[in-house]
Amino acid sequence: MPDPRPVRVAVLISGAGSNMAALIDAGQQDGAPFEVVLVLSNKPDAGGLAVAQAKGVATATVDHRAFGTDRQAHEQALDAALTAHDVEVVALAGYMRLLTPWLVGRWSDRMLNIHPSLLPKYPGLDTHARAIAAGDAEAGCSVHLVTEGVDEGPVLGQSAVPVQADDTPASLSQRVLAAEHALYPRTLADFCRQIRSL
Ligand code: GRF
Protein backbone atom coordinates (compact mmCIF):
# COMPACT_ATOMS: atom_id res chain seq x y z
CA MET A 1 0.00 0.00 0.00
CA PRO A 2 1.47 3.41 -0.88
CA ASP A 3 1.86 5.81 2.05
CA PRO A 4 -1.06 8.31 1.73
CA ARG A 5 0.53 11.12 3.78
CA PRO A 6 1.62 14.21 1.82
CA VAL A 7 5.40 14.43 1.51
CA ARG A 8 6.81 17.10 3.84
CA VAL A 9 8.63 19.66 1.67
CA ALA A 10 10.89 22.57 2.62
CA VAL A 11 11.49 25.36 0.11
CA LEU A 12 14.82 27.21 0.22
CA ILE A 13 14.77 30.79 -1.04
CA SER A 14 16.94 33.90 -1.17
CA GLY A 15 14.54 36.38 -2.76
CA ALA A 16 11.02 37.09 -3.97
CA GLY A 17 9.86 33.51 -3.76
CA SER A 18 7.30 33.47 -6.55
CA ASN A 19 8.07 29.80 -7.25
CA MET A 20 7.86 29.14 -3.53
CA ALA A 21 4.37 30.70 -3.47
CA ALA A 22 3.28 28.49 -6.38
CA LEU A 23 4.54 25.42 -4.51
CA ILE A 24 2.76 26.41 -1.28
CA ASP A 25 -0.51 26.98 -3.15
CA ALA A 26 -0.27 23.64 -4.94
CA GLY A 27 0.52 21.84 -1.70
CA GLN A 28 -2.55 23.36 -0.04
CA GLN A 29 -4.94 21.83 -2.59
CA ASP A 30 -7.05 18.88 -1.44
CA GLY A 31 -5.33 15.60 -2.19
CA ALA A 32 -1.96 17.17 -3.01
CA PRO A 33 0.89 14.64 -2.74
CA PHE A 34 3.08 17.15 -0.89
CA GLU A 35 2.79 19.91 1.66
CA VAL A 36 5.21 22.81 2.14
CA VAL A 37 5.93 22.71 5.87
CA LEU A 38 8.88 25.12 6.01
CA VAL A 39 10.35 28.00 4.03
CA LEU A 40 14.01 28.58 4.78
CA SER A 41 16.02 31.61 3.70
CA ASN A 42 19.67 32.53 3.92
CA LYS A 43 18.66 36.20 3.80
CA PRO A 44 16.63 37.87 6.56
CA ASP A 45 15.17 40.38 4.07
CA ALA A 46 14.01 37.84 1.47
CA GLY A 47 10.60 39.02 0.26
CA GLY A 48 9.29 35.47 0.14
CA LEU A 49 9.36 35.09 3.93
CA ALA A 50 6.38 37.39 4.46
CA VAL A 51 4.53 35.72 1.60
CA ALA A 52 5.01 32.30 3.19
CA GLN A 53 3.89 33.56 6.60
CA ALA A 54 0.75 35.07 5.07
CA LYS A 55 -0.01 31.64 3.63
CA GLY A 56 0.36 30.05 7.07
CA VAL A 57 3.70 28.32 6.46
CA ALA A 58 6.49 28.23 9.06
CA THR A 59 9.60 30.20 8.11
CA ALA A 60 13.16 30.35 9.35
CA THR A 61 16.24 32.32 8.37
CA VAL A 62 19.77 31.02 8.71
CA ASP A 63 21.86 34.05 7.72
CA HIS A 64 24.98 32.84 5.90
CA ARG A 65 26.88 35.98 6.94
CA ALA A 66 27.00 34.73 10.52
CA PHE A 67 29.16 31.80 9.37
CA GLY A 68 31.83 33.74 7.46
CA THR A 69 33.55 31.46 4.95
CA ASP A 70 32.45 28.25 6.64
CA ARG A 71 29.84 27.08 4.12
CA GLN A 72 29.42 23.71 5.71
CA ALA A 73 28.68 25.16 9.16
CA HIS A 74 25.96 27.28 7.55
CA GLU A 75 24.55 24.20 5.85
CA GLN A 76 24.64 22.23 9.10
CA ALA A 77 22.44 24.90 10.66
CA LEU A 78 20.09 24.73 7.66
CA ASP A 79 20.02 20.97 7.93
CA ALA A 80 19.16 21.15 11.63
CA ALA A 81 16.10 23.26 10.75
CA LEU A 82 15.09 20.74 8.08
CA THR A 83 15.40 17.88 10.54
CA ALA A 84 13.47 19.76 13.24
CA HIS A 85 10.54 20.05 10.82
CA ASP A 86 10.70 16.39 9.69
CA VAL A 87 11.34 17.49 6.13
CA GLU A 88 11.48 14.71 3.54
CA VAL A 89 12.15 16.64 0.31
CA VAL A 90 13.91 19.97 -0.28
CA ALA A 91 12.94 22.27 -3.17
CA LEU A 92 15.42 25.01 -4.06
CA ALA A 93 13.59 28.00 -5.53
CA GLY A 94 15.81 30.97 -6.23
CA TYR A 95 18.24 29.89 -3.51
CA MET A 96 21.39 31.78 -4.47
CA ARG A 97 24.10 29.86 -2.60
CA LEU A 98 26.40 27.22 -3.99
CA LEU A 99 25.99 24.02 -2.01
CA THR A 100 28.86 21.93 -0.64
CA PRO A 101 29.06 18.21 -1.39
CA TRP A 102 28.11 17.66 2.24
CA LEU A 103 24.56 19.06 1.95
CA VAL A 104 24.11 17.63 -1.55
CA GLY A 105 25.08 14.21 -0.20
CA ARG A 106 22.75 14.50 2.80
CA TRP A 107 19.80 15.15 0.47
CA SER A 108 20.86 12.99 -2.44
CA ASP A 109 17.80 12.10 -4.59
CA ARG A 110 15.66 14.22 -2.25
CA MET A 111 16.60 17.75 -3.40
CA LEU A 112 15.19 19.49 -6.48
CA ASN A 113 15.99 22.80 -8.14
CA ILE A 114 14.34 24.95 -10.79
CA HIS A 115 16.56 26.60 -13.35
CA PRO A 116 15.47 29.14 -15.99
CA SER A 117 16.83 27.43 -19.10
CA LEU A 118 16.33 24.25 -21.09
CA LEU A 119 19.19 22.34 -19.46
CA PRO A 120 21.79 21.24 -20.38
CA LYS A 121 21.83 24.62 -22.15
CA TYR A 122 22.90 27.60 -20.07
CA PRO A 123 23.68 26.42 -16.56
CA GLY A 124 24.60 29.30 -14.22
CA LEU A 125 23.49 32.92 -14.47
CA ASP A 126 22.11 35.26 -17.18
CA THR A 127 20.31 32.45 -18.97
CA HIS A 128 17.80 34.66 -20.81
CA ALA A 129 20.43 37.05 -22.18
CA ARG A 130 22.46 34.07 -23.34
CA ALA A 131 19.47 32.46 -25.11
CA ILE A 132 18.65 35.73 -26.90
CA ALA A 133 22.29 36.35 -27.87
CA ALA A 134 22.51 32.84 -29.32
CA GLY A 135 19.40 33.47 -31.48
CA ASP A 136 17.55 30.53 -29.90
CA ALA A 137 13.95 30.04 -31.05
CA GLU A 138 13.04 28.59 -27.66
CA ALA A 139 13.92 29.29 -24.06
CA GLY A 140 12.35 27.69 -21.01
CA CYS A 141 12.87 26.16 -17.62
CA SER A 142 13.93 22.85 -16.09
CA VAL A 143 13.39 21.09 -12.79
CA HIS A 144 16.26 18.79 -11.91
CA LEU A 145 17.67 16.74 -9.10
CA VAL A 146 20.53 18.50 -7.32
CA THR A 147 23.95 16.91 -7.69
CA GLU A 148 27.42 18.27 -6.97
CA GLY A 149 27.84 20.02 -10.36
CA VAL A 150 25.91 23.30 -10.63
CA ASP A 151 22.65 22.81 -12.60
CA GLU A 152 23.89 19.41 -13.76
CA GLY A 153 21.61 16.85 -12.13
CA PRO A 154 19.10 14.63 -13.97
CA VAL A 155 16.24 16.64 -15.46
CA LEU A 156 12.81 15.69 -14.12
CA GLY A 157 10.71 18.10 -16.18
CA GLN A 158 11.00 20.93 -18.69
CA SER A 159 8.78 23.56 -20.23
CA ALA A 160 9.67 25.45 -23.43
CA VAL A 161 8.76 29.08 -24.11
CA PRO A 162 9.10 30.65 -27.60
CA VAL A 163 11.58 33.54 -27.86
CA GLN A 164 9.95 36.53 -29.60
CA ALA A 165 11.83 38.80 -32.00
CA ASP A 166 11.57 41.81 -29.69
CA ASP A 167 12.33 39.95 -26.45
CA THR A 168 14.66 41.46 -23.89
CA PRO A 169 16.07 39.40 -21.04
CA ALA A 170 13.42 41.02 -18.80
CA SER A 171 10.43 40.25 -21.03
CA LEU A 172 11.62 36.70 -21.67
CA SER A 173 12.25 36.08 -17.99
CA GLN A 174 8.68 37.12 -17.16
CA ARG A 175 7.21 34.57 -19.56
CA VAL A 176 9.63 31.86 -18.43
CA LEU A 177 8.77 32.61 -14.79
CA ALA A 178 5.07 32.06 -15.55
CA ALA A 179 6.03 28.68 -17.06
CA GLU A 180 8.11 27.90 -13.95
CA HIS A 181 5.06 28.44 -11.74
CA ALA A 182 3.23 25.67 -13.61
CA LEU A 183 6.19 23.33 -14.11
CA TYR A 184 7.58 23.23 -10.58
CA PRO A 185 4.37 22.22 -8.73
CA ARG A 186 3.58 19.62 -11.39
CA THR A 187 7.06 18.09 -11.37
CA LEU A 188 7.33 18.11 -7.58
CA ALA A 189 3.92 16.44 -7.33
CA ASP A 190 5.01 13.67 -9.73
CA PHE A 191 8.24 13.22 -7.80
CA CYS A 192 6.45 12.99 -4.45
CA ARG A 193 3.91 10.48 -5.75
CA GLN A 194 6.81 8.40 -6.97
CA ILE A 195 8.71 8.41 -3.68
CA ARG A 196 5.57 7.50 -1.75
CA SER A 197 5.00 4.49 -3.98
CA LEU A 198 8.56 3.14 -3.52
C1 GRF B 1 13.67 31.74 -10.96
O1 GRF B 1 13.85 32.20 -12.27
C2 GRF B 1 14.36 30.42 -10.79
O2 GRF B 1 14.32 29.63 -11.94
C3 GRF B 1 15.76 30.83 -10.49
O3 GRF B 1 15.65 31.97 -9.68
C4 GRF B 1 14.40 32.63 -9.94
C5 GRF B 1 13.69 32.73 -8.63
O4 GRF B 1 12.52 33.48 -8.72
N1 GRF B 1 16.49 29.73 -9.89
P1 GRF B 1 11.48 33.45 -7.48
O5 GRF B 1 12.27 33.84 -6.23
O6 GRF B 1 10.92 32.09 -7.41
O7 GRF B 1 10.46 34.50 -7.83
Side-chain angles (χ1 to χ4, degrees):
M1 265 301 266
D3 183 342
R5 290 169 307 154
V7 173
R8 296 175 65 80
V9 171
V11 184
L12 265 60
I13 63 167
S14 300
S18 68
N19 278 289
M20 170 216 77
L23 293 177
I24 292 174
D25 291 348
Q28 289 178 344
Q29 302 296 311
D30 279 348
F34 68 87
E35 179 190 3
V36 177
V37 297
L38 177 67
V39 170
L40 254 182
S41 173
N42 66 307
K43 290 188 153 194
D45 59 351
L49 290 169
V51 176
Q53 285 156 13
K55 292 177 182 292
V57 176
T59 63
T61 300
V62 184
D63 192 339
H64 62 276
R65 291 171 302 189
F67 297 86
T69 57
D70 194 344
R71 283 182 183 272
Q72 192 169 318
H74 175 243
E75 291 178 348
Q76 279 163 347
L78 286 176
D79 193 62
L82 297 172
T83 304
H85 285 80
D86 294 322
V87 167
E88 301 174 84
V89 167
V90 175
L92 307 182
Y95 183 70
M96 300 304 286
R97 301 278 299 167
L98 294 174
L99 304 181
T100 74
W102 179 78
L103 194 69
V104 173
R106 278 274 298 143
W107 289 91
S108 169
D109 295 323
R110 290 287 184 278
M111 184 183 275
L112 282 63
N113 181 43
I114 187 153
H115 182 74
S117 78
L118 294 173
L119 291 172
K121 273 192 159 179
Y122 313 130
L125 299 175
D126 300 324
T127 54
H128 305 303
R130 289 155 72 196
I132 291 170
D136 291 355
E138 281 188 331
C141 46
S142 308
V143 173
H144 64 95
L145 281 172
V146 175
T147 55
E148 283 187 27
V150 175
D151 303 325
E152 268 183 18
V155 170
L156 302 177
Q158 285 187 316
S159 178
V161 171
V163 179
Q164 292 170 2
D166 59 351
D167 258 330
T168 62
S171 65
L172 181 56
S173 84
Q174 270 187 359
R175 293 203 316 288
V176 171
L177 198 56
E180 293 180 34
H181 298 162
L183 176 70
Y184 210 173
R186 188 171 74 229
T187 310
L188 179 62
D190 289 346
F191 181 80
C192 289
R193 277 191 209 98
Q194 222 173 1
I195 64 172
R196 274 293 184 258
S197 67
L198 289 179

